[in-house]
Amino acid sequence: MALETPVTHIGTLVATNPGATDGKNQGDDHIRNIKAAILYTFPNVAGVMLRTHTELNTVTDRGLIAGQTWTGTHVFGADTSGVTASFGASGTKYATLDFVNAVATSAVLPGLTGNEYKFLTTTNGTSASFSNLLKSTVIRMADGTDLTKLVAFDLSGLTTATTRTVTIPNKSGTMAMTSDTALVLIATLTPTVAANLDFLTTFSSSYDNYLIVCSGITVGTTDSIALRLAVAGVADAGANYYRNAGSIGTDITARTEIIVSPSILAGGKGGSAEITIKNVNDAVGLKATHSDSMSQSVATPGYANHFGDGVYVPASVASGFRLFLLGGASFAATGKVRVYGYTNS
């Protein structure tokens, strides 16, 4: 039987050679063919092959080992290539340079205008965009060395569809909390045409003492402004008030109110007053009041200053107060009433 010609790899050998009729003198030629086929098939094998047939059978046509978990460091040649996935594809395949470049230059990313440092980049998983809205529930400021120290912003107190602007002064300093200041503005009321200016539940356990500032109050009919304290949200109209009669140590009999500013002239320039109320959270002791007012009382000369002290004696915590006109008239829709609390600490 003739020799296989040409021999380029193991697959070109014929399993039935040499045949039964071949002479022994052809044996050396067949041996040379076998050696040539092996060398042609494995030209770069320069050592002992230690892999088993099972391991060799896992080698795919791309030279990767299917189903194997790689560990350690693997170095790929500069010309190593792979299949480039489409943009937006998911999975655990390796990313090629073409894929990375496609992501970096994709049209779904926003264009750069030079001001992106001002904004937050957000994404819905497919496309990205720039936004200048940083959600307070997401943003936290962390300490540079201890990331467990955080500052969070709570915007829940804002009214819907309202933007508040916070201006940072042009100086360095330590930020103060409202609890660090002596007086804290608690409530503001703009009078309407009504008989009462009510702050019946304004007081709290956070402040034992209060300052009430009335600015530019006017009346519809000449009358005097008076005050009653509230208990559990209800103004107390009982004869539980005592006020100074003009000299120290002299009190008159019980009254149902405390005078703040007497005889404000209707149609005049109005009046303003400061009222302090002390010890409102004491369920046993008396509550002390002091008022100081200036108002137009008559046309000529017309202006009078009034000050007076008073006490409220029931063993009850005061929840707030009511301002009203002693003769039953109504306030005019003018001026402002502000309530401040003196911090307890």
Side-chain angles (χ1 to χ4, degrees), residues 140-337:
R140 299 289 187 271
M141 297 181 64
D143 180 73
T145 57
D146 185 349
L147 299 183
T148 64
K149 297 178 180 179
L150 301 173
V151 172
F153 294 92
D154 183 359
L155 306 184
S156 61
L158 294 182
T159 304
T160 301
T162 300
T163 299
R164 297 299 184 190
T165 301
V166 178
T167 302
I168 305 299
N170 187 25
K171 62 181 181 179
S172 298
T174 301
M175 183 181 294
M177 302 294 107
T178 55
S179 59
D180 297 330
T181 58
L183 279 176
V184 178
L185 178 62
I186 297 172
T188 300
L189 184 147
T190 300
T192 59
V193 180
N196 303 318
L197 303 180
D198 282 339
F199 296 83
L200 302 178
T201 59
T202 302
F203 297 166
S204 72
S205 59
S206 298
Y207 310 94
D208 292 333
N209 308 298
Y210 292 85
L211 171 66
I212 303 161
V213 179
C214 304
S215 305
I217 302 298
T218 59
V219 294
T221 302
T222 301
D223 208 335
S224 299
I225 298 178
L227 177 144
R228 287 174 177 153
L229 290 177
V231 175
V234 178
D236 186 354
N240 297 312
Y241 305 87
Y242 294 82
R243 66 181 178 86
N244 185 273
S247 62
I248 297 175
T250 303
D251 295 329
I252 62 175
T253 58
R255 297 179 60 89
T256 60
E257 77 288 316
I258 293 175
I259 299 298
V260 172
S261 182
S263 189
I264 296 181
L265 181 67
K269 300 297 182 179
S272 298
E274 285 189 355
I275 312 161
T276 57
I277 304 176
K278 308 177 186 70
N279 202 36
V280 300
N281 291 309
D282 190 336
V284 177
L286 59 83
K287 287 75 180 163
T289 68
H290 173 79
S291 63
D292 190 346
S293 67
M294 176 65 74
S295 59
Q296 183 177 359
S297 57
V298 292
T300 304
Y303 300 96
N305 174 252
H306 167 82
F307 63 90
D309 298 313
V311 294
Y312 178 69
V313 297
S316 302
V317 172
S319 63
F321 66 95
R322 164 177 288 172
L323 294 177
F324 66 102
L325 296 176
L326 194 61
S330 293
F331 293 95
T334 307
K336 194 80 68 175
V337 179

Side-chain angles (χ1 to χ4, degrees), residues 40-99:
Y40 288 148
T41 303
F42 302 102
N44 296 319
V45 176
V48 178
M49 295 286 290
L50 299 178
R51 301 297 92 192
T52 68
H53 67 282
T54 301
E55 293 171 328
L56 292 176
N57 285 337
T58 62
V59 178
T60 69
D61 59 351
R62 297 184 182 273
L64 299 178
I65 301 177
Q68 300 296 305
T69 300
W70 291 6
T71 60
T73 301
H74 299 271
V75 179
F76 295 93
D79 296 329
T80 300
S81 61
V83 178
T84 299
S86 301
F87 180 79
S90 61
T92 57
K93 296 179 180 179
Y94 289 99
T96 64
L97 285 175
D98 288 343
F99 178 81

